[in-house]
Structure formats: C-alpha cells, structure tokens
Amino acid sequence: MIIFSILFLILSNAVSLRRDKSILYSRVAIIVLLYSSLLALNTLFLTSLGTGIGLYGGLFHITSTTQIFQIFIFLISAVILQLTAFYPRKVWLKEYSSLTKLLFYNFLYYKSQIQNKMGEQFKIIEYPLILLFIVTGATFLVSTSDLVSIFLSIELQSYGLYLLSTLYRNSELATSGGLTYFLLGGLSSCFILLGTSLIYANSGTTNLDGLYVITSLSDIANDSHNILYWYKSYYIHFSLLILSVGFLFKVSAAPFHFWSPDVYDAIPTIVTTFVAIVAKISIFIFFLELVHYTSNSLFKFEFTWTTSLLVSSLFSLVIGTVLGLTQKRIKRLFAYSTISHVGFILLALSINSIESIQAFIFYLMQYSISNLNAFVILLSIGYSLYYYINDSNDYKELSDKNNSPIQLISQMKGYFYINPVLALSLSVTIFSFVGIPPLIGFFAKQMVLSAAIDSGYVFLALLAILTSVISAVYYLNIIKQVFFDKAEYKINPEVQSLNMHGNMLKKNVLKEKLTFKTESITLSSSLTITISLLTLIILLFILIPQQWLSIANILALILFNS
C-alpha cells in the first residue's frame, strides 16, 4: 500500500504545475498510513497463533510483535503528518461555533498570516513523499530477517532522514545539520556493513535464523572442543558488537551520541519531531529479536555482545543527565533527555527476561507518545505567540525563527499567563519524563527498574534512579520558567486595536460580513485535539492500564515461547 502510494505521489508531483499542493499530499499520506495500519491489523490473526511467517525467501519475518509495531509506526507518522496537513491557526467566533454552523457555514478571510499560509512547511511538496519512504524503510527494518534486508532497510530509512533534514532549502542551519547527520550516518553505515560482512565471512549465511543456530552451536564448541572446532562464538559476538555500534550510532546512544544535540537543534522542529521518534522505534524492535535469539543460549560462554548494550546504557544514563543540566536551548535539552531515556530502553533490552522485555516494549511505546506530545506542544507554543512581541535582543537575533520559533527555554517564561491549558499539557508531559506517579512515565521506569533488580543488576538500577532524580532538575527548570517567572511577552499594540474582516458563506453564497479581533485567533482543531488526546493518555493511564500492559505482556510471552 505504501509503495503504491509513493509511486502515485511521484507521478502527481511530475504532472502538477503549481507548488501549493503540499497540504493535499500530506492529507493523502495520512489516509495511506491509516489504511496501511488497518491492513496490518487485519493480518494480525495470521501471526497470533504461531511463531510468525517468513516472506520473500526468508528476507522478512512477520510476527505479532512486528505487526503491532508497524501499526504503531503508521499511527505515530500519521499524527506527525498532521503538522503539515492543516494550517496551525484559525478564527473562532462564538456565535458561529454550533455544530450545524460549523458544518454548513464557511468563514472566508484574506489575511494569510492568520493561518500561517506562508510557512515554509506548506511550500515543500516532497515532504509527505520522503516521509512515506522513511516509513517504508522502518516497517521493513522491523520485520527484517536477513543481513541483506537489514542493510537495505536501514539505508532506505536513513537516506530519507538525511533528505528530510535538509529539505528546507533556504535554511542554512538545516543544511549544515543535515550534512552533519549525513556524514556521521554514513560512518555508522560503514560499521553496519563491516559487521554484516564479518558475520557472513565466518558463518557463510546471511539469514538470521541460520545465525541464531550457529551461535548456539558455537557455544557447544566452547564446552566440547571436538565439535565444530572451526566456529568460535567470540568471533560471531565481536561481529555483532561491530554491527551494534552502527545501530547505537543511529539511535544516538552514548558514547555515539555527539551528533544528535547539534542535529536536533539545527533542523526545523517539524522535522526534529519525526527524526527523534520514528527512526528509533524501528531500530529498537529489530534489536529486540537480535538480542533475544543471539544471547538467550542454553550454554555458557565467555563473552556476549549484549554486554556492550549494558555499557552503552550506563554511559547514556550518565551523559544524558549530566550534560542536560547545562543546556539553555530547548531542543538540545530534548536531545539529551532522549539519550537518558535510551539508557533505560537499552537496560531493559540487554537483561532479556520476560519481565524486562515487557518493560522494554511498554517503555518504548509510552516514551514515543510522550516525546511526540512534547514536540507538538513546542510547535503550538511557537504558533500561539505570533501576535506577541518581546523586546529582548536575545530573541531577535535567533536564526531560523520561522522554522523553529521556540529555540531557548527562556522563551517560554510566564507562558502559563498566555495559555494556561497548553502550559498544563506541557507540565504533564514533562512530569511523565521525570517519572512522577501516577503518570505513564512512572510505571515505565518502575517496570524497567524492577526487571533490573530481579535480574541482579542492582548497581545499574541504583544509577538509573540517581540519574532520574538529577534529570528532574532540568525538567523542573522548564516548569519553573513557564509557571513562576514573569512573562516577557506583550500583545503587539499595532495588532491589538486592529479590526479584521471576513465573510460568512453558506453554499458559496455571502450571508454576512463580520469583524473580529486578535482574541478570536486560536490554534487549529488538529493541534488542540492531538495535544488533548496525547495528554489524556499520559495523564489517565492509571485508569486504563490493562490494555497497554496486556499488549506488552503478550508480545513478551510470544517471543519467549517461540
């Protein structure tokens, strides 16, 4: 479905003369992703009873886990596409807000700045097309079962991300950030290619199922030197270690994290939203089966490559927390926050017990939702401040203000007094990052820590608790500035007294000429509904926990039983 849609979008790009169809294409892409998620949901019954289905000669392997996370990727991508499928602001008139008038009346006004029609994201017609390419690569990577398909999938996903980062042609910052991402991403691909070639040179197979068998056989060879003397388990594990370095690079896990704060900060916020979330989900789900089948052996051996994941988890927890304390730019802070949370995810992944895999699946899902909400709120704050002015020279000199209106944490000072509901939504999301009960983030961290202590990783569990407490400092600093500092914004006096005009139409017939003030300009329904739903999921998880926990528990049980 996605591939056919990509072909049709390419054809429509080729034949269209006008460059203002970006919103239409984004809406088409949303429909495509929703339909693809329905197709994936419809095929869940095929994999619910057995251990999965092999496709294309074993290149791909469809299981319940891959299907669930494909649906999850489709839905997350559809929500992100809403940011470019609808204008961010609208005019809201109380007397015309009844359901019948919303359905049958159309309000026409000519100030394009009200809707932000000239925003850069609405001029880029290729955005949904490239995004569909990335989603295709991500879904392939989730289901991959062969060294060849691993490399093709990760490169399809990565090339799309490089293009997406540099899509804003007039932005010097975005171009430099995308170029950095491309060069360092190419370096990480070299590690992946080296690891896969070493595995193939040693084992003679590209299929991961064959690799899992060989890993177990080479473990027997450690105990019985006469059996399979030419296979050495440490060789396979060192090859997998090199492979994992490339993937840890791409998920910005420490000590391979150094590119992410610069790239997150340089590229436009709409693009950062996608780069920070979808790229990580697919790689972690691929890691899940790789870790499970290559380290869950019946035999003892001296070295396993998953030890490197524990070391990376340790570095990520410390670096993401300590370096985050000094940040003044909000997206750099989110980048270090992501590194810290990647530490929790890697900790759950490397333990590899039923409880830890359940915690891993749940943590990945809840963190993706919380992170998505944080970025959507950040964009909405920028959109809601367009008729406010600030006399501070620090904000006037910010580069790339049109694409990333909120860049400094101090720009949100006193925002509670401008839009209290949006400020409360931001505080709920940030408290979830911290892990304060009864929000969804608390239960995710509690599950990971419980699994770590049960498996004897007491030191890492204590370190994770300590870093969570320290990271609360920079999270609560945001809360302090939003709620307790004095607002530095005031409504532009030129706009405050301005009367704006519009026409109320019914079936394209003029019914009434209306005059409205700036107070009638609000955030669009797509933004407000998205933020409301995501915030309620984070806030009310304790009332409906069973469905989420059951999904994570069932997927973990299926993996271990298979």
Side-chain angles (χ1 to χ4, degrees):
M1 181 64 198
I2 294 177
I3 290 170
F4 271 114
S5 306
I6 287 171
L7 291 173
F8 284 127
L9 278 176
I10 289 173
L11 288 172
S12 58
N13 277 346
V15 298
S16 67
L17 296 175
R18 299 179 64 191
R19 301 286 290 174
D20 59 354
K21 294 189 173 66
S22 174
I23 283 185
L24 176 64
Y25 286 161
S26 292
R27 290 176 184 176
V28 169
I30 289 173
I31 295 167
V32 168
L33 290 167
L34 292 176
Y35 187 67
S36 298
S37 63
L38 283 175
L39 290 176
L41 187 65
N42 194 40
T43 53
L44 257 179
F45 74 95
L46 291 172
T47 59
S48 58
L49 299 175
T51 56
I53 299 170
L55 298 175
Y56 305 115
L59 284 177
F60 298 99
H61 186 216
I62 302 299
T63 63
S64 299
T65 308
T66 62
Q67 291 294 87
I68 289 289
F69 274 94
Q70 281 180 10
I71 295 167
F72 188 63
I73 289 170
F74 293 146
L75 295 178
I76 290 279
S77 303
V79 173
I80 294 171
L81 265 167
Q82 276 194 315
L83 300 172
T84 51
F86 300 95
Y87 292 120
R89 292 185 288 262
K90 65 178 182 183
V91 175
W92 181 261
L93 300 169
K94 192 174 182 181
E95 60 269 26
Y96 282 91
S97 59
S98 65
L99 187 61
T100 52
K101 290 188 175 179
L102 285 173
L103 290 173
F104 297 109
Y105 284 76
N106 185 24
F107 187 44
L108 189 66
Y109 44 90
Y110 298 102
K111 291 282 186 184
S112 60
Q113 286 184 348
I114 293 173
Q115 289 185 306
N116 193 30
K117 279 188 177 181
M118 303 309 291
E120 190 77 20
Q121 68 270 30
F122 302 120
K123 298 178 185 178
I124 299 171
I125 207 167
E126 300 88 359
Y127 178 79
L129 179 67
I130 295 170
L131 203 125
L132 286 177
F133 270 113
I134 300 168
V135 171
T136 307
T139 50
F140 284 165
L141 185 60
V142 163
S143 309
T144 190
S145 186
D146 196 279
L147 294 175
V148 175
S149 56
I150 287 171
F151 192 72
L152 292 176
S153 303
I154 193 65
E155 289 309 292
L156 178 59
Q157 176 180 295
S158 298
Y159 286 156
L161 290 170
Y162 306 148
L163 286 172
L164 205 61
S165 301
T166 54
L167 205 56
Y168 289 68
R169 301 178 188 87
N170 299 326
S171 170
E172 187 179 332
L173 269 178
T175 307
S176 66
L179 189 60
T180 305
Y181 191 19
F182 169 65
L183 292 172
L184 295 175
L187 178 64
S188 65
S189 297
C190 291
F191 279 102
I192 294 170
L193 197 58
L194 177 60
T196 53
S197 58
L198 287 174
I199 290 169
Y200 177 68
N202 182 250
S203 63
T205 180
T206 60
N207 196 285
L208 290 184
D209 287 341
L211 180 65
Y212 304 149
V213 174
I214 288 169
T215 308
S216 300
L217 291 175
S218 60
D219 297 336
I220 300 174
N222 284 339
D223 298 335
S224 308
H225 295 290
N226 296 326
I227 304 173
L228 293 176
Y229 62 89
W230 60 89
Y231 279 124
K232 302 295 181 187
S233 67
Y234 65 81
Y235 192 96
I236 296 281
H237 284 286
F238 276 127
S239 304
L240 287 168
L241 174 63
I242 293 169
L243 182 77
S244 70
V245 166
F247 282 106
L248 290 173
F249 216 104
K250 290 190 182 291
V251 295
S252 70
F256 313 106
H257 67 284
F258 44 84
W259 61 270
S260 64
D262 294 330
V263 172
Y264 280 27
D265 195 38
I267 60 181
T269 307
I270 286 177
V271 177
T272 312
T273 308
F274 195 81
V275 172
I277 299 168
V278 176
K280 290 179 173 52
I281 298 172
S282 56
I283 292 173
F284 277 125
I285 297 305
F286 159 70
F287 255 174
L288 175 60
E289 291 200 4
L290 190 66
V291 168
H292 179 70
Y293 290 118
T294 57
S295 65
N296 204 23
S297 175
L298 297 172
F299 306 97
K300 295 180 181 178
F301 44 92
E302 297 171 3
F303 167 77
T304 172
W305 72 280
T306 51
T307 312
S308 64
L309 299 183
L310 278 175
V311 174
S312 180
S313 169
L314 177 94
F315 280 123
S316 298
L317 288 167
V318 174
I319 290 172
T321 302
V322 174
L323 295 184
L325 293 170
T326 61
Q327 300 306 315
K328 291 184 173 59
R329 297 179 71 86
I330 184 71
K331 285 197 288 180
R332 288 182 73 90
L333 181 63
F334 281 168
Y336 283 112
S337 162
T338 300
I339 293 164
S340 177
H341 287 282
V342 163
F344 273 93
I345 293 171
L346 287 173
L347 176 59
L349 183 62
S350 51
I351 293 168
N352 195 32
S353 64
I354 290 183
E355 189 182 3
S356 75
I357 296 305
Q358 182 182 350
F360 164 82
I361 292 169
F362 180 68
Y363 200 109
L364 187 59
M365 293 177 89
Q366 71 82 24
Y367 182 66
S368 300
I369 289 171
S370 300
N371 213 14
L372 174 60
N373 198 32
F375 277 109
V376 175
I377 290 171
L378 194 65
L379 281 162
S380 301
I381 290 173
Y383 292 139
S384 66
L385 291 174
Y386 90 105
Y387 55 81
Y388 287 84
I389 56 171
N390 194 315
D391 296 328
S392 174
N393 290 324
D394 295 339
Y395 306 149
K396 290 177 182 175
E397 294 172 2
L398 287 174
S399 54
D400 218 17
K401 283 189 292 187
N402 293 333
N403 298 327
S404 301
I406 302 295
Q407 297 179 29
L408 305 175
I409 299 170
S410 57
Q411 282 180 273
M412 296 190 288
K413 275 185 181 177
Y415 186 75
F416 175 73
Y417 301 102
I418 295 172
N419 191 332
V421 178
L422 202 55
L424 285 169
S425 296
L426 178 64
S427 65
V428 167
T429 308
I430 287 174
F431 282 139
S432 180
F433 284 158
V434 177
I436 291 175
L439 303 176
I440 195 169
F442 164 76
F443 295 99
K445 287 190 174 182
Q446 183 261 336
M447 288 168 72
V448 173
L449 294 170
S450 172
I453 292 169
D454 286 351
S455 301
Y457 295 93
V458 178
F459 172 73
L460 274 172
L462 289 173
L463 183 73
I465 293 167
L466 183 64
T467 52
S468 283
V469 173
I470 296 171
S471 66
V473 174
Y474 59 70
Y475 287 129
L476 294 176
N477 178 45
I478 301 174
I479 300 290
K480 170 188 165 290
Q481 297 207 31
V482 169
F483 284 86
F484 299 107
D485 284 4
K486 186 180 177 183
E488 296 181 348
Y489 291 96
K490 57 183 180 182
I491 295 178
N492 189 341
E494 296 177 5
V495 177
Q496 192 170 13
S497 56
L498 192 65
N499 288 326
M500 287 171 272
H501 305 284
N503 297 328
M504 188 61 71
L505 308 176
K506 184 178 183 182
K507 295 181 180 177
N508 292 327
V509 177
L510 178 64
K511 288 292 178 183
E512 188 180 353
K513 291 189 174 183
L514 296 172
T515 303
F516 60 95
K517 298 276 191 181
T518 51
E519 291 81 10
S520 300
I521 301 170
T522 59
L523 289 172
S524 67
S525 303
S526 64
L527 285 174
T528 51
I529 291 170
T530 301
I531 292 169
S532 303
L533 289 175
L534 293 175
T535 307
L536 286 173
I537 289 171
I538 296 166
L539 188 63
L540 302 180
F541 167 75
I542 196 168
L543 300 179
I544 46 166
Q546 196 56 45
Q547 288 78 5
W548 288 77
L549 296 175
S550 295
I551 288 173
N553 194 19
I554 290 167
L555 292 179
L557 286 170
I558 288 172
L559 187 66
F560 275 81
N561 287 338
S562 63

